[in-house]
Amino acid sequence: MLLREDDNGVLAIGQPSHAWISGQLARAWGNARFGRVDPFEQVCLAAEQHDVGWATRDLEPIYNPETGLPRSFIEMPLDVHLALWTEGPRALLSQSRYGALLVSMHGWRLYARRDLDKLTPMDAAAVRIFLAEQRSFQEELIASLRADQATASAAAAELTERNSLLIWTWDYLSLALCLDWESATAKRAPTADGEVDLDLIKGPEPGVFQLEPWPFATEAVTLQCEGQRLEDRFDTEQAMRDGLVRAAWETLALRLEPA
């Protein structure tokens, strides 16, 4: 869950709704400089569903007694987080092997960046097991995709790496937009023939952001996600969950423009 603080309190945005913005970015992405998304439907599906493992978890979030709010995605216990990223790719497998592959690669990429020396020996061992299991899962999917004439070309190593980096880029931009960051830089965004850093800054009006260089074919891109308005803090986990049931829903409307 993402917690967006503003003058009216906190807007609790579920991880899958944040991922929905990633999918919207994917469907709008592409121009002469940045190339096209390929295979389009499978990559857009993976972008939109990359947090599919959180769908049920965000309906009954874990309580943070220090804030009186749900735990955000960066406050989750390691064992819960690993379980979500294990379950997510497998949940998508019944829909799309390529989508499951990219979601697995995304979770693997998140944990491959962790400094295991800063974890306890037990936690570091759990992360190593997760990384190894995801690699094995990915190898099985790649073998299956390459054995299928309809999907063999999409499973080429260079293309799957490019698509994984695209999802990484969209995920980061979506986080910055949902959390209303003043500025952000998405590193190593794939272009048609290389990579470039994307700079995102707040625009002149609420909900408007500027992006440079511009990776879309249209003059502007409109986006939306949904969250629940939390006006209070809660004393217990049950009170928090009851509060979420009663909380009003809000649509968060966003707009991207060239810098």
Side-chain angles (χ1 to χ4, degrees):
M1 185 165 285
L2 278 64
L3 302 176
R4 176 189 174 104
E5 297 192 36
D6 56 29
D7 294 339
N8 297 318
V10 173
L11 188 65
I13 301 171
Q15 293 291 125
S17 195
H18 134 72
W20 181 24
I21 287 187
S22 296
Q24 293 167 57
L25 291 170
R27 291 192 174 277
W29 194 268
N31 56 28
R33 180 174 182 182
F34 282 82
R36 63 193 183 95
V37 177
D38 181 45
F40 184 79
E41 290 296 340
Q42 292 92 325
V43 177
C44 291
L45 173 68
E48 185 176 88
Q49 297 291 331
H50 76 261
D51 278 337
V52 63
W54 296 77
T56 302
R57 175 79 276 170
D58 276 356
L59 293 176
E60 296 184 345
I62 299 175
Y63 177 64
N64 186 342
E66 296 182 2
T67 63
L69 295 168
R71 286 186 183 268
S72 74
F73 70 103
I74 60 174
E75 299 169 338
M76 297 295 288
L78 181 68
D79 60 334
V80 175
H81 200 264
L82 287 173
L84 294 173
W85 278 106
T86 300
E87 296 163 4
R90 294 195 176 277
L92 198 56
L93 183 57
S94 62
Q95 187 173 11
S96 165
R97 289 169 296 162
Y98 201 81
L101 171 63
L102 292 180
V103 173
S104 174
M105 292 176 70
H106 191 69
W108 182 93
R109 194 179 294 276
L110 285 170
Y111 273 96
R113 295 162 56 91
R114 296 284 295 262
D115 185 351
L116 300 189
D117 292 335
K118 293 182 178 180
L119 301 180
T120 67
M122 182 176 297
D123 285 348
V127 171
R128 291 189 182 96
I129 291 172
F130 168 81
L131 292 172
E133 288 177 345
Q134 291 305 301
R135 276 299 195 195
S136 177
F137 180 63
Q138 292 161 25
E139 289 169 1
E140 292 175 6
L141 290 176
I142 289 170
S144 173
L145 290 164
R146 290 179 179 173
D148 184 343
Q149 186 175 358
T151 56
S153 61
E158 183 176 349
L159 185 55
T160 56
E161 177 66 12
R162 168 184 161 79
N163 288 333
S164 179
L165 286 173
L166 281 172
I167 290 175
W168 186 266
T169 300
W170 300 327
D171 179 40
Y172 181 78
L173 291 174
S174 177
L175 288 175
L177 293 166
C178 288
L179 294 175
D180 202 30
W181 292 350
E182 288 290 335
S183 63
T185 299
K187 304 269 187 193
R188 298 184 58 204
T191 65
D193 56 4
E195 297 174 351
V196 69
D197 293 347
L198 293 176
D199 292 321
L200 179 76
I201 60 171
K202 273 191 177 182
E205 302 174 10
V208 176
F209 291 80
Q210 297 177 341
L211 191 61
E212 177 65 30
W214 187 245
F216 306 105
T218 55
E219 294 182 356
V221 174
T222 57
L223 308 162
Q224 67 174 358
C225 68
E226 298 180 358
Q228 289 177 277
R229 174 62 61 183
L230 301 179
E231 299 176 350
D232 301 312
R233 309 278 167 152
F234 303 95
D235 295 329
T236 66
E237 183 168 80
Q238 189 58 52
M240 176 203 67
R241 292 183 176 178
D242 291 342
L244 272 174
V245 171
R246 298 190 300 271
W249 284 92
E250 289 185 19
T251 296
L252 179 63
L254 302 164
R255 179 180 174 90
L256 281 176
E257 299 176 347

